[in-house]
Amino acid sequence: MAGGESLEHHLLKLELAQAARAAGFHAEYEVSAPDGSWRADVMATSADGTRRVALEAQLSPITAEDVQVRTGRYESEGIAVCWFGVAPRPWIGSAPSLLLDSPQQAGAPWTVRAGIARMASAGSSHQHWVPVHGVSLTDAVSWMANDRMRPHQPVWLTPTVQDQDGRGWAREWTGPNLGKWQVWWTAPRYIEADLQQEREFREQVEYARLVAISPMDAYRERTGIEHLSALESLIRGQFSNNITRTPADFSMRFAPGYEDGMAFYGFSWTHSTGRTRELKPFIVVYPNLRGGQTWTHDVPVAFPASMIDQLPKIKELWLFDLAERRIWPAEPRKSAVSAAMESWNLTTTTDAQQQDADPSAEETTTPDQKPPAR
């Protein structure tokens, strides 16, 4: 052991080096920078020498500021780093770090108490951070060494790792000597999910600002449809063939109640309570469906044909192409004649199959059926 080094510190260094070697990395103790700006307890280096990870067993007192400064020195030379502690300290969570539980009996593994998180939805359209439990020190070092998890400073709204009830910080991540976690380890896909949620939130804030100023301009900005007159002309041309409507009956409105789509209203005659005219939407164009949201309104909806592969299943879906000045139903409607012919063909095919069946074939039953009584 190095001079002044505690037994627990020495044992943790041994565990870190062993975990690095199990991950396929070369591990050295007490590796220093040429200029002496840093010295790693354990330096893990990939077989090809392209990736280095400094593993710091930090059991003695240190400030969060010192940890952040020393982390910056490693990162400036392209070296990843993780600080390992075994007791709650204010510096834990201020830089890439893990809070460990040391073995309680001989032969038991070191485990991670806090510092690794993932994203979960829990029925919400937005994901939030939850702790990852049951990770051994060996696995944690392997994941960070092989870039399967990375340190991340969360950006999405309230950056907390929540407990099962979603009411606050997970219990293992809190304590009288722990500060607020600023950085934790997670998989690259969760980092991207966090950044994506933040981007979408900022876009929604900007969109709401535009809607407050000018709904039509906001619609143009979101959809990329610059000339609403071309859209209006296309819709009128397709849906003005109803003899109960005239061109003067149509109106086009930005419709917050229809997911910020452009709703086209038209008068039509109804005989439910006498012969009266009723104004109602007959199609909504390009509503703002977010995060897998589907169309729940009992009104046909239209989207650009280029979006067909991105859309959820919608009952009455229309597609349009403004450049070609075309709009058409995604599933062509069948005429009464074609529907009757299809039904007739199905019936005659079934009859023919029954007539061609081998009458001498033995009767069979499925495993959950009883044979007929004789």
Side-chain angles (χ1 to χ4, degrees):
M1 293 188 296
E5 181 180 37
S6 69
L7 177 60
E8 189 176 28
H9 185 266
H10 179 71
L11 292 176
L12 179 53
K13 283 168 54 178
L14 293 178
E15 288 291 332
L16 293 173
Q18 183 177 344
R21 291 167 184 146
F25 278 57
H26 176 67
E28 292 183 89
Y29 298 104
E30 305 298 333
V31 177
S32 299
D35 62 359
S37 60
W38 51 260
R39 185 180 69 179
D41 286 333
V42 177
M43 180 63 74
T45 307
S46 62
D48 59 6
T50 60
R51 180 169 173 79
R52 290 189 295 172
V53 183
L55 307 174
E56 292 282 5
Q58 190 60 47
L59 305 188
S60 59
I62 190 173
T63 66
E65 290 76 15
D66 285 342
V67 168
Q68 292 168 353
V69 168
R70 291 170 62 179
T71 296
R73 292 173 184 166
Y74 284 119
E75 292 176 344
S76 67
E77 297 191 30
I79 302 172
V81 60
C82 183
W83 300 81
F84 298 85
V86 295
R89 294 288 185 268
W91 62 265
I92 292 179
S94 66
S97 52
L98 292 178
L99 179 58
L100 305 178
D101 283 326
S102 56
Q104 298 301 308
Q105 56 186 11
W110 290 70
T111 56
V112 176
R113 186 196 313 180
I116 305 177
R118 63 180 178 84
M119 298 201 83
S121 59
S124 170
S125 59
H126 296 295
Q127 299 187 81
H128 61 275
W129 293 101
V130 296
V132 176
H133 298 290
V135 179
S136 68
L137 177 60
T138 300
D139 284 341
V141 170
S142 176
W143 293 348
M144 65 179 64
N146 289 290
D147 202 30
R148 291 180 57 190
M149 72 176 186
R150 302 170 185 170
H152 176 58
Q153 186 167 359
V155 297
W156 166 243
L157 291 182
T158 306
T160 58
V161 178
Q162 300 179 3
D163 59 19
Q164 292 182 349
D165 297 331
R167 296 178 180 176
W169 281 91
R171 180 175 55 83
E172 301 87 351
W173 292 57
T174 61
N177 294 319
L178 275 176
K180 182 179 179 181
W181 288 76
Q182 302 172 35
V183 181
W184 48 76
W185 291 86
T186 190
R189 67 178 181 275
Y190 297 128
I191 296 176
E192 179 53 36
D194 186 39
L195 297 175
Q196 179 63 26
Q197 285 194 153
E198 174 68 9
R199 285 193 294 267
E200 291 176 354
F201 174 72
R202 298 301 173 193
E203 289 170 359
Q204 291 173 19
V205 170
E206 176 61 15
Y207 177 68
R209 186 186 69 82
L210 288 175
V211 168
I213 297 172
S214 171
M216 289 298 190
D217 287 345
Y219 183 80
R220 289 188 182 94
E221 178 73 18
R222 179 177 64 81
T223 63
I225 300 175
E226 290 293 333
H227 304 290
L228 296 181
S229 58
L231 177 63
E232 183 177 14
S233 176
L234 182 65
I235 298 298
R236 284 175 180 262
Q238 174 66 38
F239 293 96
S240 64
N241 57 353
N242 189 321
I243 60 172
T244 63
R245 297 194 187 108
T246 68
D249 290 332
F250 287 92
S251 64
M252 179 178 70
R253 306 178 192 172
F254 178 78
Y258 289 100
E259 318 302 339
D260 290 353
M262 192 62 66
F264 287 82
Y265 287 78
F267 282 105
S268 62
W269 292 103
T270 176
H271 297 274
S272 58
T273 57
R275 195 167 184 270
T276 59
R277 292 207 311 167
E278 180 183 11
L279 181 65
K280 61 181 181 180
F282 55 87
I283 194 165
V284 176
V285 178
Y286 210 156
N288 190 11
L289 300 185
R290 310 183 190 95
Q293 179 183 0
T294 190
W295 184 246
T296 59
H297 303 282
D298 190 22
V299 179
V301 63
F303 282 94
S306 59
M307 294 182 62
I308 183 62
D309 294 331
Q310 308 169 34
L311 298 173
K313 186 173 180 59
I314 299 175
K315 183 178 180 181
E316 293 189 71
L317 173 64
W318 288 71
L319 304 173
F320 67 90
D321 188 322
L322 282 180
E324 297 184 3
R325 298 185 59 79
R326 291 197 310 126
I327 182 168
W328 64 96
E331 295 185 4
R333 298 174 179 175
K334 299 173 184 177
S335 67
V337 174
S338 63
M341 288 297 294
E342 181 177 312
S343 176
W344 182 83
N345 288 332
L346 178 63
T347 301
T348 54
T349 301
T350 303
D351 290 343
Q353 291 174 344
Q354 291 176 347
Q355 291 175 1
D356 293 339
D358 183 3
S360 63
E362 295 183 359
E363 293 180 355
T364 59
T365 59
T366 61
D368 58 348
Q369 291 177 322
K370 295 181 179 180
R374 298 188 181 278

